[in-house]
Amino acid sequence: MAVRRKRSPARSKVAREFVSEVDDLLERMRADLADLGDQRVRGELVPDLVNRLFRSAHTLKGVAGMFGFQGIGALSHRLEDILDDLRMGRLDPGACALDLLDEAVAVLAVEVDLVGREAATPEGSEELRNLMQRIESALHGDAAAGCVPEPLAVEASLLRALTEYEEHRLRESLRGGRALYVVEASFDLLAFEEGLAELSESSRALGEIISTLPAPGDTPESQICFSLIVASELDAESFERRLDLPAARVRMVQAGATLATGSAHPPDAADELGKDAAAAGRAAFGEGGEADEEPAAGDGEAAPAGESDASEDTPARPADDLESLKSISETVRVDIRKLDELMNLVGELVIQRGTIGAIAEQLLGEPRVARLARELAKAHKALERKLQELQAGVLEVRMVPMRQVFEKLSRVVRRLRREVGKEVRLEIHGGDTELDKLIVEELADPLMHLVRNAFDHALEPPDERVAAGKPAEGTIRLEAYQRGNHVVIEVSDDGRGIDLEVVRAQAVARGLLAPETLLTPKQTLDLILLPGFSTRDAITETSGRGVGMDVVRENVTALGGLVHVESTPGSGTTICLTLPITLAIIQALVVGVGDQRFAIPLTSVLETLLVDPVEILRSEGRELLNLRGEPLALRRLHVEFGLPAPAENVRQAVVVVGLGDVRAGLLVERLEGQQDAVLKPIQGPVRSVHGIAGATELGDRGTVLVVDVAALVEDAGRRREAA
Amino acid sequence: MTSGNPAAWEDLARAAVGRIGGAAEDETAVELRELLVIWLDEDPYALPIERVREIVRLRPITPVPHVPAAVRGVISLRGEIVQVLDLRCRLDLPVVPAALDRRRHRIVVMSGEDGQLAGVLVDRVSEVLRTPAAATRSPDARESDAVCALVPHGERFVSLFDVDRLLDLGRRTDAGAAS
């Protein structure tokens, strides 16, 4: 049970809510931080990323305050300060600042983790307070470096309308030698959002949008006019050409430094426009105080009533707070059970569809209704396609990237590294690989166990590593990738590897293996997966693996997956988990044995063949098939499931199934075709049936049991070892 | 209540199930229990109706390998896959290989201890019996561990099942703990 420790019920609801609330937030911050370091534009930070981080920190601060975690709140606040100084150009965007950000987010993550385990104090850990002090001194130490704004060659009216941040961006752009444009366009009041989005998108492709302001202009009542201030490297001609929106009017207000010609003074009209637009914009969002008071008098005539109404309904340029709220509401948290219900409904629709299909087919044989029957068949085809799309859509919603788990693991490794003081590097690959949310959740514990094992037992102490000619720093590598209809997750280390002799001795000592049994190295390795093999004895620790590999295997098998171990003494171990992408819906191959039918998940089917009884070979008491020169172990499904033997001397079908590296052939009487199936657990007194993964309803074919391919294939493997 | 059109009992039982949960409409002070009377051949048994989720006509039962003989197989009930017990086999009665009759045989679906559903195949369902809770008798010589009481019904007694024990196949061989 070591691995399967579920979230303890003692953990209070508040803590749980808090953690679930901020986990995603922290994850996004980490991703943004990584991008921030990578994606610099000519040494400058990407403003969008800084802003997004700022908003995340702001939200985190709010949530922490709401839940009463002052420590986290205070550190988020400091984080906000750093980010604010960065975006205002008050802080040098060097490696030092980024490290500070990295560290702050890491400490926040640790702190949130502590909350999750109810080990946190409201004011936060020692570490958190130390970091706060360091940030404090970093911010104030650098304050002297903050630049005194130099006069700008931009008309004052435009400047006045901008917020401090926008002004900073404007200065930056001018300093970078970019030209300034005002892009103006009118949209229909009822549908301006799309138009504005299109305009913004096109403009963003050409440069940076410094500000978006609703403009009064001389537009009819049913229209609304916006002006965008855009900084761009392009000269006026190419800017206009590439913007390519007939509705947009472009005016250059400031030529770029790279364009030696052209007036530095914009036409008067643009000046006026900038002023009025800004005033109207501020007034509409209640930010008048920040902007200049001057236009207030003329405001009434300048801004038609219709326009301010529209701006109130749908603020085109929301304040920071509003925007941060919006970015959260773009994603929806959905209970996975609701998705299950949807999936069930889709499954039932699929069954209904099958019934309709059968009727259509029958009718096609009736000459009197041939025309209608053809139309029904056509409609049925269309329905089938749409249903497939619906199914794929619902499935896709359930998919989450492995990164979610990998990042949790990297937090664990970081913590272990700090606590134990062991030099270990964690490499992560394929975090984008997607899996069903339920599977990902169930994988977190086994993977955590594997990583801890590698950290604690597999990786040698530095002196031992150096003596063996390896780098002092050990490496744990996590990799996920898709292979066919499965996802493979590998946890590997470059540690001491598994000592086969010790494993063998242990298995014999525990009575799991007769002393005289001959085993291949692979079979010996697989012994560590046997229940009862590993205990807390020191002996397994020196074998390079800690406790509970059998529990890992149990958890993975419950998900319809396989565990596979590879190890080279002296140079490391790889544990491979092969898993289906989803458990919710399967494409099934329906096979018949006697008068019974079974469904085999198509994800595990490699191919199907027909064989004559004479083609079935025997070797060491087992049945084999020669599959293009390779031996393929055969299992007769009727024997597996204790059904009456079918007639001999008839051609039978073999379904070649494979999981991971193991293959087997299932001998059946008939192949009855493919069908979509919703895999359901079997309810009732008997909790689990060996070799059966569940059941499904297949319309006119009734209730059909779904074969647990992993169990049968594993049996095949085990039997081979026993032989 | 006497047996008439067997299909009518389905509605009757459903109505009875629907009544549970609401306040007892009977204003008498005596606490009444409602029991669903089921039959194996000529022997009446009873199930506490609050555990009965629904009664369905016999439908094709898909056999399942590697399960105790008492589990006849699974049916699908609006998308849920439910095991069906053969009551005769569960009670160690001689199994008569009589042809199953769709018109008469019923599957009574019950909710188990943890909300899991399970069905019991019976020869027929006859009525809902309302009986004072105090009237039940402990069986002296208990035939089966799954029977917890005898309930007087006219001239005869009906064996009342303890549903949790009935559905617990692992405890079959135990000598039935006292209720």
Side-chain angles (χ1 to χ4, degrees), chain A residues 348 596-598 639-643 680-692 694-697 702-705, chain B residues 60 62-68 71 74-85 114-118 166-169:
Chain A
E348 277 167 43
Q596 256 204 283
R597 292 191 177 93
F598 294 93
V639 177
E640 293 306 318
F641 292 147
L643 302 171
K680 290 295 178 62
I682 296 179
Q683 304 190 46
V686 179
R687 283 303 140 90
S688 81
V689 183
H690 185 75
I692 299 292
T696 185
E697 194 186 348
T703 311
V704 171
L705 300 177
Chain B
T62 305
V64 179
H66 308 310
V67 289
V71 178
V74 293
I75 57 167
S76 142
L77 200 66
R78 284 184 298 280
E80 291 185 273
I81 309 290
V82 178
Q83 289 171 29
V84 176
L85 302 191
D114 44 8
Q116 290 232 345
L117 299 180
L166 180 69
L167 297 183
D168 186 348
L169 302 181

Side-chain angles (χ1 to χ4, degrees), chain B residues 108-168:
Chain B
V108 181
V109 180
M110 290 171 297
S111 42
E113 242 165 328
D114 44 8
Q116 290 232 345
L117 299 180
V120 178
L121 176 65
V122 301
D123 288 352
R124 68 194 164 93
V125 172
S126 67
E127 65 197 275
V128 174
L129 173 66
R130 310 181 80 199
T131 175
T136 58
R137 306 268 177 278
S138 297
D140 298 325
R142 195 183 280 127
E143 281 303 317
S144 164
D145 62 291
V147 173
C148 64
L150 293 180
V151 181
H153 179 29
E155 294 297 302
R156 55 194 303 177
F157 286 97
V158 180
S159 310
L160 177 63
F161 285 125
D162 177 321
V163 176
D164 293 336
R165 273 196 248 152
L166 180 69
L167 297 183
D168 186 348

Side-chain angles (χ1 to χ4, degrees), chain A residues 568-606:
Chain A
T568 315
S571 60
T573 304
T574 299
I575 311 261
C576 231
L577 312 181
T578 306
L579 293 145
I581 288 175
T582 182
L583 297 177
I585 195 149
I586 52 169
Q587 278 258 309
L589 176 66
V590 183
V591 299
V593 179
D595 55 0
Q596 256 204 283
R597 292 191 177 93
F598 294 93
I600 301 176
L602 215 54
T603 53
S604 331
V605 175
L606 302 175

